[in-house]
Structure formats: structure tokens, C-alpha cells
Amino acid sequence: MTASRLLIVDDDAVIGRFVASVGAVCGYEVRSVFRADDFLQEVESWGPSHIAIDLRTPDTDGLALLQRLAARRCTARMVVFTAMEEKVIDSLQRLGLTSGLDIAAILRKPLRAKALQGVLSDIKGASVALGE
């Protein structure tokens, strides 16, 4: 069975470590980056099965980053977290549907450990079941 790999991109080191620790508890092999360029490089070189992405990053717009993933035909299951308004979340859902991205969950900030753990456990189980 292939390892479940979770790649996290968040410009806030505290949140990145928090998501990484929850991911590790859920049994993921975890990597965390802070910049969009590093993130895209890790997507190509490491091949994560799952991605956790913050929509607000200092060096690029999160929606643009998701569009770049769609252009690369990224098949990783994704959890997106944001503090943005509902209109942005609606746009994100449409982007997932029209681009073929597997946006499994959208979580509102501030993140809660129990909710994040539930989502990461659920989507990990789904990907493992599909891979067998």
C-alpha cells in the first residue's frame, strides 16, 4: 500500500506545524512549506497524495495556486482552509468542480484540531480504500 503523504502550504509557521502534527497523528507522512514556489516544487518531486492549503499566502493568491495545480492535473485530495468570506468559498467550490481538482473539504479559520483530524482521517480512509 502506498504511504499517505500530506503536503501543507501555509505562510504561518505555527499553523503549518499545527496541521503537520494533526496529520502525523492521522498517520500521514508530512511535509510543510511556506512559499508557493516551494509548494509547487514539492508537488512535482514528492508526489503527495493529499494537500492542505491555506488560501491566503503572501507570495501568491490561493485560488491562482489551485488553478496552477489544475493545469498540472494534480490528483491529490485537498483540504483548503480560509478565513475569507463566503463568496470566495463559493468560487473555490466552483473551481474544484470545473477544473477536476479533488477538493475534499473546506475548513474555516481558526482551525480546530478535532475538525481537522476528522477531515484528514476521513479523506485518508477514502483514498486508501480507493487505492486497494
Side-chain angles (χ1 to χ4, degrees):
M1 178 174 19
T2 306
S4 294
R5 295 178 165 182
L6 176 65
L7 178 60
I8 302 152
V9 61
D10 195 308
D11 63 307
D12 184 326
V14 172
I15 293 175
R17 283 192 301 271
F18 167 71
V19 175
S21 68
V22 173
V25 166
C26 293
Y28 287 92
E29 183 179 338
V30 179
R31 289 191 184 174
S32 185
V33 296
F34 306 104
R35 295 178 353 102
D37 289 342
D38 296 335
F39 169 73
L40 292 170
Q41 183 178 355
E42 286 291 328
V43 167
E44 291 297 320
S45 65
W46 191 50
S49 57
H50 297 77
I51 291 172
I53 182 170
D54 183 6
L55 277 190
R56 191 170 301 245
T57 59
D59 57 343
T60 190
D61 171 74
L63 289 173
L65 189 55
L66 288 168
Q67 289 169 333
R68 290 175 73 180
L69 290 173
R72 293 175 181 213
R73 300 201 191 311
C74 180
T75 59
R77 299 208 75 199
M78 298 180 200
V79 176
V80 178
F81 31 94
T82 184
M84 294 182 184
E85 62 273 358
E86 202 63 35
K87 173 173 76 169
V88 174
I89 292 172
D90 291 341
S91 295
L92 175 61
Q93 290 170 325
R94 279 193 305 280
L95 174 64
L97 290 173
T98 60
S99 68
L101 291 175
D102 186 358
I103 299 174
I106 302 170
L107 296 176
R108 303 276 302 177
K109 284 184 168 183
L111 296 175
R112 306 274 187 249
K114 194 171 200 173
L116 180 60
Q117 184 175 0
V119 166
L120 291 177
S121 293
D122 287 349
I123 66 171
K124 181 179 184 245
S127 74
V128 170
L130 292 174
E132 294 182 344

